[in-house]
mmCIF file of all heavy atoms in Angstrom:
data_model
loop_
_atom_site.group_PDB
_atom_site.id
_atom_site.type_symbol
_atom_site.label_atom_id
_atom_site.label_comp_id
_atom_site.label_asym_id
_atom_site.label_seq_id
_atom_site.Cartn_x
_atom_site.Cartn_y
_atom_site.Cartn_z
ATOM 1 N N SER W 100 20.846 -0.341 -16.840
ATOM 2 C CA SER W 100 22.000 0.205 -17.527
ATOM 3 C C SER W 100 21.807 1.664 -17.866
ATOM 4 O O SER W 100 22.780 2.432 -17.908
ATOM 5 C CB SER W 100 22.432 -0.630 -18.694
ATOM 6 O OG SER W 100 21.318 -0.642 -19.581
ATOM 7 N N ASN W 101 20.585 2.088 -18.249
ATOM 8 C CA ASN W 101 20.388 3.511 -18.624
ATOM 9 C C ASN W 101 20.313 4.458 -17.382
ATOM 10 O O ASN W 101 20.144 5.620 -17.525
ATOM 11 C CB ASN W 101 19.115 3.618 -19.481
ATOM 12 C CG ASN W 101 17.829 3.304 -18.669
ATOM 13 O OD1 ASN W 101 17.842 2.628 -17.604
ATOM 14 N ND2 ASN W 101 16.721 3.666 -19.187
ATOM 15 N N GLN W 102 20.551 3.871 -16.191
ATOM 16 C CA GLN W 102 20.458 4.663 -14.959
ATOM 17 C C GLN W 102 21.804 4.730 -14.242
ATOM 18 O O GLN W 102 21.914 5.378 -13.186
ATOM 19 C CB GLN W 102 19.402 4.077 -14.007
ATOM 20 C CG GLN W 102 17.988 4.143 -14.573
ATOM 21 C CD GLN W 102 17.448 5.605 -14.558
ATOM 22 O OE1 GLN W 102 17.661 6.373 -13.627
ATOM 23 N NE2 GLN W 102 16.741 5.907 -15.608
ATOM 24 N N THR W 103 22.812 4.009 -14.750
ATOM 25 C CA THR W 103 24.074 3.911 -13.924
ATOM 26 C C THR W 103 24.802 5.267 -13.802
ATOM 27 O O THR W 103 25.292 5.563 -12.703
ATOM 28 C CB THR W 103 25.041 2.876 -14.550
ATOM 29 O OG1 THR W 103 25.344 3.133 -15.883
ATOM 30 C CG2 THR W 103 24.490 1.469 -14.427
ATOM 31 N N ASN W 104 24.806 6.030 -14.842
ATOM 32 C CA ASN W 104 25.482 7.390 -14.723
ATOM 33 C C ASN W 104 24.719 8.246 -13.648
ATOM 34 O O ASN W 104 25.331 8.916 -12.849
ATOM 35 C CB ASN W 104 25.580 8.059 -16.004
ATOM 36 C CG ASN W 104 26.682 7.486 -16.911
ATOM 37 O OD1 ASN W 104 27.594 6.876 -16.351
ATOM 38 N ND2 ASN W 104 26.546 7.649 -18.179
ATOM 39 N N TYR W 105 23.417 8.159 -13.699
ATOM 40 C CA TYR W 105 22.584 8.906 -12.770
ATOM 41 C C TYR W 105 22.906 8.431 -11.301
ATOM 42 O O TYR W 105 23.028 9.222 -10.440
ATOM 43 C CB TYR W 105 21.139 8.777 -13.129
ATOM 44 C CG TYR W 105 20.205 9.564 -12.199
ATOM 45 C CD1 TYR W 105 20.327 10.911 -12.033
ATOM 46 C CD2 TYR W 105 19.219 8.905 -11.536
ATOM 47 C CE1 TYR W 105 19.452 11.616 -11.207
ATOM 48 C CE2 TYR W 105 18.300 9.583 -10.662
ATOM 49 C CZ TYR W 105 18.461 10.937 -10.583
ATOM 50 O OH TYR W 105 17.652 11.618 -9.699
ATOM 51 N N VAL W 106 22.955 7.148 -11.128
ATOM 52 C CA VAL W 106 23.201 6.604 -9.793
ATOM 53 C C VAL W 106 24.644 7.026 -9.315
ATOM 54 O O VAL W 106 24.821 7.379 -8.125
ATOM 55 C CB VAL W 106 23.097 5.063 -9.786
ATOM 56 C CG1 VAL W 106 23.658 4.451 -8.529
ATOM 57 C CG2 VAL W 106 21.614 4.737 -9.957
ATOM 58 N N ARG W 107 25.568 7.046 -10.181
ATOM 59 C CA ARG W 107 26.928 7.551 -9.834
ATOM 60 C C ARG W 107 26.916 8.939 -9.401
ATOM 61 O O ARG W 107 27.535 9.307 -8.425
ATOM 62 C CB ARG W 107 27.879 7.369 -10.976
ATOM 63 C CG ARG W 107 28.245 5.887 -11.291
ATOM 64 C CD ARG W 107 29.117 5.806 -12.578
ATOM 65 N NE ARG W 107 29.227 4.475 -13.010
ATOM 66 C CZ ARG W 107 30.007 3.491 -12.461
ATOM 67 N NH1 ARG W 107 30.770 3.806 -11.400
ATOM 68 N NH2 ARG W 107 30.000 2.243 -12.980
ATOM 69 N N SER W 108 26.020 9.814 -10.028
ATOM 70 C CA SER W 108 25.901 11.168 -9.576
ATOM 71 C C SER W 108 25.203 11.299 -8.212
ATOM 72 O O SER W 108 25.543 12.146 -7.443
ATOM 73 C CB SER W 108 25.173 12.018 -10.640
ATOM 74 O OG SER W 108 23.823 11.744 -10.667
ATOM 75 N N LEU W 109 24.220 10.418 -8.005
ATOM 76 C CA LEU W 109 23.535 10.436 -6.708
ATOM 77 C C LEU W 109 24.372 10.007 -5.547
ATOM 78 O O LEU W 109 24.318 10.560 -4.444
ATOM 79 C CB LEU W 109 22.285 9.515 -6.734
ATOM 80 C CG LEU W 109 21.177 9.862 -7.598
ATOM 81 C CD1 LEU W 109 20.137 8.719 -7.681
ATOM 82 C CD2 LEU W 109 20.486 11.139 -7.152
ATOM 83 N N THR W 110 25.301 9.048 -5.807
ATOM 84 C CA THR W 110 26.119 8.537 -4.713
ATOM 85 C C THR W 110 27.439 9.262 -4.574
ATOM 86 O O THR W 110 28.272 8.897 -3.723
ATOM 87 C CB THR W 110 26.412 7.023 -5.004
ATOM 88 O OG1 THR W 110 27.194 6.972 -6.217
ATOM 89 C CG2 THR W 110 25.163 6.178 -5.128
ATOM 90 N N GLY W 111 27.681 10.262 -5.397
ATOM 91 C CA GLY W 111 28.931 10.915 -5.415
ATOM 92 C C GLY W 111 30.086 10.004 -5.901
ATOM 93 O O GLY W 111 31.191 10.176 -5.552
ATOM 94 N N ASN W 112 29.668 9.014 -6.672
ATOM 95 C CA ASN W 112 30.628 7.968 -7.153
ATOM 96 C C ASN W 112 31.417 7.301 -6.063
ATOM 97 O O ASN W 112 32.531 6.909 -6.182
ATOM 98 C CB ASN W 112 31.536 8.570 -8.192
ATOM 99 C CG ASN W 112 31.954 7.592 -9.268
ATOM 100 O OD1 ASN W 112 31.222 6.591 -9.503
ATOM 101 N ND2 ASN W 112 33.049 7.820 -9.924
ATOM 102 N N THR W 113 30.726 7.209 -4.906
ATOM 103 C CA THR W 113 31.352 6.519 -3.707
ATOM 104 C C THR W 113 30.746 5.120 -3.599
ATOM 105 O O THR W 113 29.551 5.006 -3.446
ATOM 106 C CB THR W 113 30.983 7.299 -2.434
ATOM 107 O OG1 THR W 113 31.499 8.652 -2.609
ATOM 108 C CG2 THR W 113 31.611 6.685 -1.222
ATOM 109 N N PHE W 114 31.617 4.133 -3.716
ATOM 110 C CA PHE W 114 31.195 2.722 -3.727
ATOM 111 C C PHE W 114 32.133 1.949 -2.826
ATOM 112 O O PHE W 114 33.327 2.252 -2.702
ATOM 113 C CB PHE W 114 31.210 2.168 -5.118
ATOM 114 C CG PHE W 114 30.223 2.762 -6.051
ATOM 115 C CD1 PHE W 114 30.625 3.722 -6.969
ATOM 116 C CD2 PHE W 114 28.886 2.491 -5.932
ATOM 117 C CE1 PHE W 114 29.708 4.334 -7.805
ATOM 118 C CE2 PHE W 114 27.943 3.094 -6.772
ATOM 119 C CZ PHE W 114 28.431 3.965 -7.742
ATOM 120 N N PRO W 115 31.628 0.872 -2.168
ATOM 121 C CA PRO W 115 30.247 0.446 -2.221
ATOM 122 C C PRO W 115 29.372 1.453 -1.535
ATOM 123 O O PRO W 115 29.750 2.115 -0.551
ATOM 124 C CB PRO W 115 30.263 -0.914 -1.462
ATOM 125 C CG PRO W 115 31.462 -0.907 -0.584
ATOM 126 C CD PRO W 115 32.463 -0.026 -1.293
ATOM 127 N N TYR W 116 28.176 1.618 -2.052
ATOM 128 C CA TYR W 116 27.214 2.567 -1.503
ATOM 129 C C TYR W 116 26.097 1.740 -0.800
ATOM 130 O O TYR W 116 25.423 0.951 -1.412
ATOM 131 C CB TYR W 116 26.627 3.375 -2.618
ATOM 132 C CG TYR W 116 25.686 4.466 -2.102
ATOM 133 C CD1 TYR W 116 26.185 5.682 -1.619
ATOM 134 C CD2 TYR W 116 24.327 4.313 -2.054
ATOM 135 C CE1 TYR W 116 25.298 6.662 -1.145
ATOM 136 C CE2 TYR W 116 23.458 5.261 -1.589
ATOM 137 C CZ TYR W 116 23.987 6.433 -1.066
ATOM 138 O OH TYR W 116 23.125 7.407 -0.622
ATOM 139 N N HIS W 117 25.936 1.925 0.465
ATOM 140 C CA HIS W 117 24.950 1.236 1.252
ATOM 141 C C HIS W 117 23.631 1.940 1.288
ATOM 142 O O HIS W 117 23.528 3.123 1.423
ATOM 143 C CB HIS W 117 25.451 0.943 2.646
ATOM 144 C CG HIS W 117 26.750 0.197 2.643
ATOM 145 N ND1 HIS W 117 26.797 -1.211 2.581
ATOM 146 C CD2 HIS W 117 28.048 0.591 2.679
ATOM 147 C CE1 HIS W 117 28.053 -1.596 2.564
ATOM 148 N NE2 HIS W 117 28.864 -0.566 2.577
ATOM 149 N N CYS W 118 22.601 1.158 1.002
ATOM 150 C CA CYS W 118 21.214 1.766 1.006
ATOM 151 C C CYS W 118 20.192 0.642 1.353
ATOM 152 O O CYS W 118 20.541 -0.512 1.511
ATOM 153 C CB CYS W 118 20.899 2.384 -0.353
ATOM 154 S SG CYS W 118 21.018 1.311 -1.777
ATOM 155 N N ARG W 119 18.934 1.024 1.357
ATOM 156 C CA ARG W 119 17.914 0.102 1.647
ATOM 157 C C ARG W 119 17.325 -0.442 0.391
ATOM 158 O O ARG W 119 17.416 0.199 -0.742
ATOM 159 C CB ARG W 119 16.806 0.762 2.451
ATOM 160 C CG ARG W 119 17.223 1.144 3.863
ATOM 161 C CD ARG W 119 16.123 1.792 4.648
ATOM 162 N NE ARG W 119 16.557 2.319 5.880
ATOM 163 C CZ ARG W 119 16.500 1.699 7.028
ATOM 164 N NH1 ARG W 119 15.965 0.459 7.112
ATOM 165 N NH2 ARG W 119 16.957 2.210 8.148
ATOM 166 N N CYS W 120 16.668 -1.587 0.477
ATOM 167 C CA CYS W 120 16.066 -2.287 -0.686
ATOM 168 C C CYS W 120 14.754 -2.866 -0.229
ATOM 169 O O CYS W 120 14.610 -3.218 1.006
ATOM 170 C CB CYS W 120 17.053 -3.307 -1.122
ATOM 171 S SG CYS W 120 16.409 -4.490 -2.368
ATOM 172 N N TYR W 121 13.781 -3.004 -1.056
ATOM 173 C CA TYR W 121 12.543 -3.693 -0.741
ATOM 174 C C TYR W 121 12.277 -4.667 -1.858
ATOM 175 O O TYR W 121 12.201 -4.313 -3.076
ATOM 176 C CB TYR W 121 11.452 -2.654 -0.603
ATOM 177 C CG TYR W 121 10.113 -3.351 -0.202
ATOM 178 C CD1 TYR W 121 9.940 -3.954 1.025
ATOM 179 C CD2 TYR W 121 9.138 -3.452 -1.125
ATOM 180 C CE1 TYR W 121 8.823 -4.569 1.451
ATOM 181 C CE2 TYR W 121 7.890 -4.044 -0.754
ATOM 182 C CZ TYR W 121 7.764 -4.660 0.554
ATOM 183 O OH TYR W 121 6.601 -5.262 0.901
#
Side-chain angles (χ1 to χ4, degrees):
S100 60
N101 64 345
Q102 298 287 321
T103 56
N104 286 336
Y105 181 57
V106 168
R107 289 175 193 282
S108 73
L109 292 173
T110 64
N112 211 24
T113 302
F114 295 102
Y116 184 83
H117 299 277
C118 59
R119 294 179 188 266
C120 168
Y121 182 70

